[in-house]
Amino acid sequence: MPGPLEGLKLIEMAGIGPCPLAGQLMADLGAEVIVIDRKSGGERPSDVNNRNKKSVALNLKTPEGVEAALALIASADALIEGFRPGVMERMGLGPDVCLAKNPGLVFGRMTGWGQDGPWSQMAGHDLNYVSLTGALGMMGKKGQEPTPPLNLVADYGGGTMFLIFGVLSALWERSKSGKGQVVDVAMIDGVAAMTGIFRNLMAAGRWGPERESNMLDGGAPYYRCYETKDGKYISVGSIEPQFHREMIEKAGLDPADNETQDDKAVWEKRRAAYEAHFRTKTRDEWEAIYAGGDSCVAPVLTPQEAETHPHNVARNAYLEVGGATMASPAPRFDRTPAPTPKPARPMGADTEAALTAAGVSAEDLARLKSAGALS
């Protein structure tokens, strides 16, 4: 099947992290994604972020390389890039140039700090962006340093997902106006948007400033992880009263705990009691006890264990691509399902074919080659 994004053509400027994931997710769903790489390279079948994509290798330090890039951009629906503000302009591929060539182009720009502001030219990483939004200050153990949340929150949540959302929103608007536009995606903006519920809880007096003292930050004894007898862990997320009652009953804990579930005065003592109780059985024993119910208790798996868990196997959540285990395309569509992923192509493998498809003549292709524009 072609996937729901069949017919969408996207140019991706090669980079690392959240921009390649955005291109991958759209390519997974059927978009034609052409990556402009810096040079040709060898096989890379296990490179998940470049699966389903085409690769064109151009020397953008030459005028002819920029010319070739503009030929590709002229035939595209959207472009995504993750450079610091001004880099694309210095290469001769800024929004003004690209939109003059292709007025319907959606130009997606992703940075950590945004296209303007006093920090816009500073380097940064996920941890810094989560830090400046206030989100990091809410994560971790009480009295200890905040816990880095991998790079899932700013890079892939506030960055990748908001880039996809922004590009697709601009494409929807273009379907009515016929005009392209620039989409400024800042990871700090995305994270700030995602923390809205916590600001709401603060305003309502239901969230305190201290870490590990609130319902969703590990403070509540019914929403945290517990070590098990075998040194592994289970996650307990029994927020709703009916789920909490089932969790208590199946664990063999005191039913009276249900009456004081949200009494913060007892949380610390109760966490200690639950810690001791959940250490009496192994992780897999607890999973068996809670299986099939509504307790909101699940084992904490390693990435390798996740691949073989019965639920994930039943949903075909993981598959093998190019000899490596990868997540299956998501989300899922009943009428236009995503095609089976194809391994990443070698860098530069599609240079001539993609340029020809974009309208570059054989004579111009020969000229670009002789000028060193194709790398």
Side-chain angles (χ1 to χ4, degrees):
M1 298 296 292
L5 293 182
E6 182 192 22
L8 177 67
K9 185 173 181 179
L10 181 76
I11 304 299
E12 175 190 324
M13 305 302 295
I16 59 174
C19 195
L21 177 58
Q24 176 218 313
L25 294 177
M26 288 192 276
D28 282 351
L29 299 188
E32 180 186 5
V33 178
I34 300 174
V35 182
I36 296 181
D37 281 305
R38 294 174 179 82
K39 61 180 180 180
S40 297
E43 299 292 332
R44 47 176 183 171
S46 63
D47 183 350
V48 60
N49 282 164
N50 281 295
R51 73 185 190 187
N52 290 325
K53 299 178 182 178
K54 298 176 180 178
S55 173
V56 171
L58 299 178
N59 180 2
L60 296 178
K61 294 182 179 180
T62 66
E64 292 81 5
V66 173
E67 175 191 342
L70 284 171
L72 293 171
I73 293 167
S75 64
D77 294 294
L79 177 148
I80 58 174
E81 56 100 352
F83 301 131
R84 290 197 208 190
V87 171
M88 288 290 283
E89 284 84 351
R90 289 193 290 274
M91 288 194 294
L93 294 171
D96 291 347
V97 175
C98 292
L99 283 163
K101 194 81 171 176
N102 181 355
L105 182 72
V106 171
F107 196 113
R109 319 196 75 172
M110 180 166 53
T111 60
W113 307 117
Q115 292 296 313
D116 52 29
W119 285 36
S120 63
Q121 289 295 329
M122 291 172 53
H125 279 296
D126 185 284
L127 192 64
N128 309 124
Y129 313 136
V130 183
S131 174
L132 206 67
T133 59
L136 183 62
M138 296 188 288
M139 302 175 188
K141 297 286 187 180
K142 179 165 50 179
Q144 298 181 19
E145 69 277 4
T147 301
L150 300 179
N151 63 331
L152 295 174
V153 177
D155 276 7
Y156 299 134
T160 295
M161 299 306 165
F162 279 79
L163 178 60
I164 294 172
F165 176 53
V167 167
L168 294 181
S169 296
L171 288 169
W172 168 251
E173 193 281 334
R174 189 188 71 180
S175 72
K176 295 175 287 183
S177 69
K179 298 178 181 179
Q181 61 180 305
V182 177
V183 182
D184 175 4
V185 180
M187 295 178 206
I188 57 166
D189 295 347
V191 176
M194 293 191 294
T195 58
I197 181 61
F198 302 104
R199 290 188 174 274
N200 182 56
L201 291 171
M202 291 175 194
R206 296 170 57 194
W207 192 281
E210 190 174 34
R211 285 191 292 278
E212 204 178 19
S213 62
N214 300 285
M215 181 177 69
L216 299 175
D217 65 358
Y222 55 81
Y223 198 86
R224 60 185 288 118
C225 294
Y226 290 98
E227 186 177 5
T228 55
K229 185 178 181 179
D230 51 354
K232 298 179 181 180
Y233 293 87
I234 58 168
S235 63
V236 176
S238 313
I239 296 175
E240 291 80 0
Q242 67 273 27
F243 302 156
H244 188 268
R245 283 193 297 272
E246 184 175 312
M247 182 272 289
I248 293 292
E249 179 183 352
K250 289 191 172 183
L253 292 163
D254 189 349
D257 289 357
N258 291 309
E259 306 305 317
T260 54
Q261 177 183 350
D262 290 314
D263 182 358
K264 291 188 176 184
V266 303
W267 278 6
E268 185 172 357
K269 181 179 179 181
R270 192 161 293 170
R271 288 197 304 266
Y274 288 8
E275 286 172 359
H277 188 79
F278 282 116
R279 285 197 189 99
T280 62
K281 299 182 187 299
T282 67
R283 184 194 68 184
D284 292 347
E285 287 174 330
W286 284 118
E287 182 181 6
I289 288 171
Y290 285 110
D294 286 336
S295 303
C296 302
V297 177
V300 177
L301 304 178
T302 66
Q304 291 73 28
E305 288 174 325
E307 296 168 8
T308 58
H309 188 275
H311 180 77
N312 293 332
V313 171
R315 284 186 57 80
N316 296 314
Y318 298 91
L319 44 72
E320 187 172 299
V321 180
T325 300
M326 302 178 182
S328 296
R332 305 181 185 194
F333 300 80
D334 70 341
R335 188 169 51 79
T336 57
T340 301
K342 297 178 181 178
R345 306 260 294 154
M347 289 187 292
D350 305 291
T351 301
E352 294 188 25
L355 288 170
T356 299
V360 176
S361 67
E363 292 78 11
D364 283 338
L365 198 59
R367 177 175 56 82
L368 293 173
K369 283 182 182 179
S370 64
L374 312 185
S375 54

